[in-house]
Amino acid sequence: MGNTDTKLHFRKAVIQLTTKTQPVEASDDLFWDQFWVDASTTAQDVFALVPAAEIRAVREESPSNLATLCYKAVERLVQGSDSGCPSERERQIVLNCTRLLTRILPYIFEDADWRGFFWSTVPGADGGDDEARPLAESLLLAVADLLFCPDFTVQSHKKSSADTAEAVRSIDSCEYIWEAGVGFAQSPPLNYIHDVNRTELLKLLLTCFSEAMYLPPSSESKNLNPWVAFFCSTDNRHALPLFTSLLNVVCAYDPVGYGIPYNHLLFSDYREQLVEQAVQILIVTLEHEAGSATRAALQALDPTTSPVAEEEQEPIGPDNLFVNYLSRIHREEDLSFILKGLARLLNNPLVQTYLPRSNKKIQFHQELLILFWKFCDFNKKFLFFVLKSSDVLDMLVPILFYLNDARADQSRVGLIHIGVFILLLLSGERNFGVRLNKPYTLRVPMDIPVFTGTHADLLIVIFHKIITSGHQRLQPLFDCLLTVIVNISPYLKSLSMVAANKLLHLLEAFSTPWFLFSSPHNHHLVFFLLEVFNNIIQYQFDGNCNLVYAIIRKRNIFHQLANLLSDTVSIQRALQRKKKAGISRTNSTENESMEGSRPAVPAEPGTLKASLEATPGIDKITEKSQVSEDGTMVTVPNSDSPQARQQTTDNSAAAGVLSWKAKLPLQTIMRLLQVLVPQVEKICIDKGLTDESEILKFLQHGTLVGLLPIPHPILIRKYQANAGTAMWFRTYMWGVIYLRNVDPPIWYDTDIRLFEIQRI
């Protein structure tokens, strides 16, 4: 009964707040205490007992009551952080205030007139030193203190828990980091109560940061989030231990635990909820567009005293300390801990066991991919560490798995984008292409042909699958997918027959006249594929007899391209024949799929998805670099290439086609066909060959030394951040966070402006 009574009291207080015509005095503690003294209300109760309509009604009709409620709730959090919450009653008050603010804040943010409220100082607030502090700052500092509060969110180091207020104020939170890992060796004992309390406080923090959701998309970098900016500034004395705690909790987490089958069905994993919240806080606080000069300065710094920047060191570059600390991590053991942790979590859904569904499958892989992206982008030492060993393949395989799994589902188009962006970033480095030559021996459950080959073959097979059997909204990504293949192509030692046929099938599909003429940019895809073939022939001819054989078999594609009719009549005729369907699947016989795999399925009806900003074109998000003979990179202006150039200004489509047709890089392939086709035909006639293995053996020992045109320089298109991609990442990240926080549904049905929520 007691539980029902307390909920009734709480509900009465909410009704009184909405119906009182006179403002309630801030000093009326008897009235305000009704909102946070009850011991049995949960976060779910608060969301149920404080309906959206009533929050909006108070906001419109009794604004001073809403203002006082927010002020009093923050005041109680500050009191709790000052006292160190020594009693159970005080901890309960802190949790109830946390839940109430999590419920109310989105309705403050959705109203432009209220948005500045938390950044104003409260008149007559008796806060001593903090009198001049805006409410937002008092709230953020109180939450930061509470996240290192002994016996509430961290294990007390003292025998007695009667810590005085002075002791709490002077606590060195670096001694209370939540988990061993970067810069901290001790692993504190697991305490699920502490995990639950941390999770609730982090939820409130995330809600504070979510003001960004209520502003329309804008690519202006000065559009800084004031909540994040303050929380990650030197004003927050816990910035370093908190960044380290969040990072270590994420990277040390092992969802399989002790490996007991079905353990996740027997008990709740409070650590998983904390990890999920921690990774969301990390990606939001790390949203920062550092300029290249700043980035260079950060990378040049190599502190030897600490794995992370010391607090007393003057922060250079961005004022965001989280970005600063991340960019300075440099010890091998720390980089290894981060990479292994992210790889373990991303590979978790791929783990196959003999007992169906016996392993716990985590759901926050999109947030992990964004975190990995941020690490590669802000810490070049981490990027080079990832690429210097085969560990990069532990990241590649799950990314390809997610791409393949999501390709038919419109609600997961953002997941495909982030996966492709990561691969584009990695492919800009030579080591990535070299690592892909490692044989692929895993058997991950994917609906792709079973093949024997390398990780490069796996990548090509899955990219082919995305292009030929993904949904229509993936077409803007084709340029990106092919750019990745172009970047790795000079380093691929031996493509399998399956991968070679997939590449030829793509060229066949993209070079049909109806597809080439149907958009002024479609010819770029043909240019990319020809560049792939040229790179492999010029730089890796010796091991690539499968590709050479596939080119010889499909030589008519190249002849048709060279003889493409480009007069107005031919173009019109081709367009009239344009197929309604997209690019067809190959009529391949290699359809046997991996055991346990299932085809990608579209989203269930009624699935929610967040809209995304348009992704900038490939020429906007990449910068061309030419590899010189000594292996160094020289930047090449983007405008010199047919791929980057816009469609000709001439009004005539025929003139436009003529313009790019003249630049088709067919010389190397035509020379190869000219030399090898007669030789292959002669062998077939002389020896009566019908067996392709004999032809492959001949091609394996063939050579084109001195017969091909002079090798062209290797061109690498490196990912280049810009305002457009920054905006895309912001909408994607907040869309993921919105859809993942459904219990309680923090932002559901509020007036979000950063993206639209659509039902499929």
Side-chain angles (χ1 to χ4, degrees), residues 723-760:
T725 50
M727 194 57 246
W728 184 90
F729 271 102
R730 187 176 305 142
T731 56
Y732 172 56
M733 173 180 76
W734 280 112
V736 168
I737 289 170
Y738 175 99
L739 294 169
R740 300 274 301 120
N741 283 276
V742 291
D743 185 24
I746 299 176
W747 302 281
Y748 182 72
D749 251 0
T750 59
D751 187 17
I752 281 169
R753 300 183 67 200
L754 184 64
F755 48 81
E756 288 172 31
I757 292 295
Q758 302 151 344
R759 196 174 289 277
I760 291 178

Side-chain angles (χ1 to χ4, degrees), residues 226-245:
W227 296 83
V228 171
F230 179 79
F231 191 76
C232 298
S233 73
T234 47
D235 287 277
N236 179 3
R237 70 188 182 96
H238 303 293
L240 176 62
L242 191 56
F243 170 76
T244 312
S245 293

